[in-house]
Each structure stands twice: as structure tokens, then as C-alpha cells.
């Protein structure tokens, strides 16, 4: 370590040129790098909502949630499946691996929905893509 320090102390011109080269390289890289304040991010996440007015949570769980979970678990590249059964509706959160096309995943979910017969009380399923650009930056609740 001391030999390196001695080298730069004995050769000030070389030290100055090396520092200038590093500075020019940094300025060149700075001008060539594009920085976006809000880069486009497509998260491989889908939300499936099935409204079923008039059905209790236990009926929804038996008639909708369990059959759909069995069918959705067979989707390719599915990383996580979470369901939440509430009175009058059920929600599924499907997370896929990062290299997954969300368009093809949405088509696969629609095909899986066709394989399951929903009760007559259930309305048409709603398939949503989550976009972080649509989330509010600040949320204030007043009470």
C-alpha cells in the first residue's frame, strides 16, 4: 500500500492525468446515461374479483373459491396465489414470475375461468392489472 502511495507522490503529473481521465470518463458516462423520473414498470400481478351478491362467505368459499384455486394453481409461471373470501365477493391475487408476459397470463386466467362453472348468483369476473403509476403518491384521511 505504501508503494502505491509513494508512486503517486513521486509522479504528480501522472496522478493529475489519471484523475483527469477518471473525471472525463465520469462526465462522458453521465451524459450518456438516461434517467427517467417515473420509469415504466409492468408488474406481473393480476387481481381477479368475482362479485356474488346474496351468497354468504361459506357458500362463496365452497362454490367459487375452492374450485377456482384448484384451477388457477395449474397456471404456468404462477409464483403466488392468494384469495380472500368476503360476503358477496371473492378476490384472487395472482403474482407471476418476472419474465412472464402479463398478457398471456391474463389469457390463461380467462381460459381457467371457462373451465370452472360459477353459480348463477355470481356476476361476471373482473380481471384487473395492477399498475403502480395509477396509485396515488399521497393519501390523506381526515377524521
Amino acid at each position: 500500500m505504501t508503494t502505491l502511495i509513494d508512486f503517486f507522490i513521486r509522479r504528480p503529473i501522472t496522478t493529475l492525468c489519471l484523475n483527469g481521465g477518471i473525471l472525463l470518463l465520469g462526465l462522458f458516462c453521465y451524459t450518456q446515461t438516461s434517467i427517467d423520473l417515473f420509469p415504466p414498470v409492468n408488474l406481473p400481478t393480476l387481481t381477479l374479483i368475482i362479485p356474488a351478491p346474496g351468497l354468504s362467505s361459506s357458500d362463496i368459499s365452497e362454490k367459487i373459491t375452492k374450485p377456482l384455486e384448484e384451477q388457477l394453481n395449474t397456471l404456468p409461471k404462477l409464483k403466488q396465489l392468494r384469495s380472500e373470501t368476503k360476503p358477496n365477493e371473492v378476490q384472487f391475487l395472482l403474482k407471476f414470475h418476472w419474465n412472464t408476459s402479463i398478457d398471456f397470463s391474463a389469457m390463461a386466467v380467462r381460459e381457467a375461468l371457462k373451465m370452472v362453472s360459477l353459480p348463477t348468483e355470481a356476476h361476471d369476473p373482473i380481471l384487473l392489472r395492477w399498475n403502480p403509476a395509477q396509485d396515488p403518491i399521497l393519501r390523506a384521511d381526515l377524521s
Side-chain angles (χ1 to χ4, degrees):
M1 184 67 165
T2 57
T3 56
L4 185 65
I5 295 171
D6 290 338
F7 175 79
F8 286 112
I9 288 175
R10 290 188 190 134
R11 294 176 177 84
I13 303 288
T14 305
T15 304
L16 185 64
C17 289
L18 186 62
N19 283 328
I22 292 172
L23 180 68
L24 288 175
L25 181 65
L27 288 174
F28 173 74
C29 290
Y30 176 74
T31 59
Q32 298 301 316
T33 304
S34 64
I35 298 174
D36 193 0
L37 186 58
F38 298 110
V41 176
N42 295 324
L43 296 177
T45 303
L46 292 172
T47 303
L48 178 65
I49 302 170
I50 302 176
L55 289 178
S56 65
S57 296
S58 60
D59 289 340
I60 291 175
S61 178
E62 290 175 17
K63 296 178 181 177
I64 300 174
T65 306
K66 287 181 183 177
L68 262 177
E69 278 182 349
E70 290 174 5
Q71 191 65 35
L72 292 175
N73 272 323
T74 63
L75 293 176
K77 298 184 181 180
L78 181 66
K79 184 177 178 183
Q80 181 184 14
L81 172 65
R82 196 176 342 156
S83 64
E84 183 178 352
T85 305
K86 303 176 186 177
N88 301 324
E89 81 171 14
V90 62
Q91 293 183 2
F92 293 93
L93 179 67
L94 297 102
K95 292 184 179 181
F96 295 91
H97 291 284
W98 277 103
N99 60 353
T100 306
S101 170
I102 200 67
D103 295 326
F104 291 122
S105 298
M107 286 185 351
V109 169
R110 287 188 195 100
E111 291 297 321
L113 281 169
K114 290 179 184 177
M115 304 296 268
V116 176
S117 61
L118 297 175
T120 56
E121 295 90 352
H123 290 211
D124 291 334
I126 303 166
L127 188 61
L128 303 171
R129 296 178 188 174
W130 185 64
N131 186 357
Q134 294 175 345
D135 280 351
I137 295 172
L138 177 66
R139 184 179 299 163
D141 295 329
L142 300 176
S143 59

